Amino acid sequence: MSTAACWTPLVILLASTIIACESSVTPPPAGGPTPATPARAPAAAPPRDVPIAVAPASITWHTLVSADQGFTVRWTTEPEPIPVSDLFSMVVQLFADAACAVPLDAPPESLQVDGEMPHHGHGMNVRAKVERTGPGTYRVVGMLFHMPGRWELSFDVTRDGVLERAQTTVEVE
């Protein structure tokens, strides 16, 4: 899905909310009848395709520096916590610095995200798809941790033919 297609429903929702908030009802004239106020439909929930990066501040971001300190990755999942045996998505942001100030913009095929259970000798049963949604920002769809336990989550970035990994442990209950 294109970035524009992801943002369009959110822009429409925000515009309608702003218009609804700015509209005012004029007070009735003294001694005159009260004008009818039209009923408003409740605001629709944003579609699940809206990038997590625009969701409320209650999202937990995890930050991780790669093994060779060549990049920093910041990530979150949707939903959170990660469900067992149910697909989930991630938003991944790559940075060229530890302060997360300089986006590391690379083609989506240069980023691979995977999960393994080293104590069980297997990984995910599916291959996740990476989509670039903005400079240094990617959406990873189709993640699936099919059993509870300790998972090793890895972020591999290939630049100029060199692969570098950032890896962390995630407990799934």
Side-chain angles (χ1 to χ4, degrees):
M1 177 178 286
S2 72
T3 302
C6 290
W7 286 95
T8 301
L10 180 64
V11 170
I12 293 169
L13 178 63
L14 289 174
S16 63
T17 302
I18 290 169
I19 291 169
C21 291
E22 290 181 353
S23 67
S24 62
V25 176
T26 55
T34 304
T37 303
R40 289 193 182 111
R48 291 188 54 82
D49 286 4
V50 173
I52 297 173
V54 297
S58 63
I59 288 179
T60 303
W61 287 97
H62 308 275
T63 304
L64 180 64
V65 177
S66 65
D68 291 335
Q69 300 179 353
F71 68 91
T72 301
V73 60
R74 192 164 71 167
W75 60 277
T76 190
T77 64
E78 182 186 67
E80 188 178 36
I82 296 171
V84 176
S85 295
D86 200 7
L87 290 171
F88 66 96
S89 299
M90 301 177 73
V91 170
V92 175
Q93 297 176 330
L94 299 177
F95 299 93
D97 63 327
C100 297
V102 180
L104 177 63
D105 199 25
E109 59 273 7
S110 65
L111 171 64
Q112 296 294 316
V113 181
D114 200 5
E116 297 179 348
M117 293 190 90
H119 286 96
H120 291 265
H122 65 77
M124 293 193 314
N125 295 330
V126 296
R127 181 175 213 102
K129 181 181 174 192
V130 177
E131 304 166 343
R132 183 181 175 276
T133 59
T137 304
Y138 306 86
R139 183 165 179 83
V140 182
V141 294
M143 296 289 293
L144 178 69
F145 290 171
H146 60 275
M147 63 185 294
R150 190 183 99 198
W151 286 83
E152 296 291 328
L153 182 60
S154 60
F155 303 87
D156 293 340
V157 175
T158 304
R159 293 183 289 167
D160 300 323
V162 177
L163 184 139
E164 187 172 350
R165 174 172 281 187
Q167 186 171 328
T168 189
T169 301
V170 177
E171 285 290 331
V172 178
E173 299 178 11

